[in-house]
Amino acid sequence: DFLFFWGAVFLVTTTLVALFKKENKELIPAKEETKGITDTYRLLFSIIKMPAVLTFCLLILTSKVGFSAADAVTGLKLVEEGVPKEHLALLAVPMVPLQIILPLVISKYTAGPQPLNTFYKAMPFRLLLGLEFAFLVWWAPKVKHEGGFPVYYYAVVVLSYALHQITLYSMYVAIMAFNAKVSDPLIGGTYMTLLNTVSNLGGNWPSTVALWLVDPLTVKECAGAQGHSCGTAEAAEV
């Protein structure tokens, strides 16, 4: 019902925009730097060959490796330890106003000449929160009782998620501000899209690798089968 409702809202609003929004024809459009797909990719290739851009891309592709396990696996591990999925989903509700307010607050600190300073300052705190998330997973079976989990456990989880959102948005807004600042205005759209795409890839590939590594790195024990290893999926099935 939720997805159906918002799907309908999305279709209605985009249709209304298409029907009633008119372009301002009085303004003379600026000369476009590119004329087609081939030109655009040629331009992107020339941008990425620049030494500074190449170094920056390498940095943002690897900068989020330290957060990958905490970001991708924590929620799944909490569910595995018995935290109901619907409770975790409800915990995301208080995060919504925070996610709206944070970019407005953080943008004041990233508007200066060195927006990446905020990125650097947030990084160690986000790394420490990865240890905090590991503690939450370890703590879950210790506080679990027949009725579920105590209220104070959920309070700690919400607080941890809120702190995580602060560090996450500090890094996200800072990198966006930096990309906007360094992008050449003549090809701003192409330039910034390239940097933002690389930035998104820098967050997605470590999470994918972290999820893939969960199974081989998980230590398993077989109950009721002396001397039998459960190291592989096949052995665990047996």
Side-chain angles (χ1 to χ4, degrees):
D1 290 345
F2 177 85
L3 291 173
F4 180 81
F5 173 78
W6 287 110
V9 170
F10 181 80
L11 285 171
V12 169
T13 50
T14 48
T15 304
L16 289 173
V17 169
L19 290 174
F20 297 112
K21 179 71 179 80
K22 303 297 180 189
E23 296 297 335
N24 190 348
K25 293 179 181 179
E26 292 176 10
L27 295 173
I28 301 167
K31 181 181 178 291
E32 289 187 10
E33 189 73 18
T34 56
K35 294 179 181 177
I37 294 173
T38 310
D39 286 344
T40 303
Y41 277 99
R42 194 178 290 122
L43 182 62
L44 284 170
F45 189 66
S46 66
I47 293 168
I48 211 162
K49 281 197 299 184
M50 294 162 66
V53 175
L54 208 57
T55 306
F56 179 63
C57 286
L58 186 66
L59 287 170
I60 57 177
L61 277 172
T62 53
S63 63
K64 295 176 185 173
V65 171
F67 324 124
S68 56
D71 289 2
V73 185
T74 302
L76 299 172
K77 283 292 175 186
L78 287 175
V79 170
E80 193 178 281
E81 294 296 346
V83 180
K85 289 192 287 285
E86 56 271 24
H87 288 183
L88 280 179
L90 280 173
L91 294 181
V93 175
M95 299 300 116
V96 174
L98 192 65
Q99 289 166 353
I100 295 168
I101 295 164
L102 278 173
L104 298 173
V105 176
I106 296 162
S107 62
K108 293 177 182 177
Y109 300 96
T110 57
Q114 296 178 314
L116 280 185
N117 281 353
T118 308
F119 185 93
Y120 300 143
K121 288 173 183 173
M123 186 175 275
F125 294 104
R126 192 170 170 189
L127 285 168
L128 286 171
L129 281 167
L131 296 174
E132 158 75 359
F133 282 2
F135 168 75
L136 287 176
V137 174
W138 172 84
W139 193 31
K142 313 285 183 191
V143 295
K144 188 180 179 183
H145 52 74
E146 288 183 10
F149 289 85
V151 175
Y152 65 80
Y153 180 77
Y154 288 118
V156 173
V157 172
V158 169
L159 181 62
S160 302
Y161 271 37
L163 291 171
H164 179 258
Q165 289 294 312
I166 292 169
T167 57
L168 187 151
Y169 272 85
S170 295
M171 293 179 71
Y172 175 76
V173 174
I175 207 83
M176 287 290 175
F178 180 79
N179 291 348
K181 198 171 190 67
V182 299
S183 297
D184 187 338
L186 284 174
I187 47 170
T190 308
Y191 207 129
M192 193 168 173
T193 301
L194 171 67
L195 295 179
N196 288 344
T197 301
V198 175
S199 181
N200 289 334
L201 279 172
N204 290 334
W205 80 260
S207 296
T208 306
V209 173
L211 286 168
W212 180 75
L213 286 172
V214 168
D215 219 32
L217 291 177
T218 299
V219 179
K220 304 181 186 76
E221 293 177 3
C222 291
Q226 290 290 335
H228 188 75
S229 168
C230 290
T232 64
E234 293 80 8
E237 188 67 27
V238 171

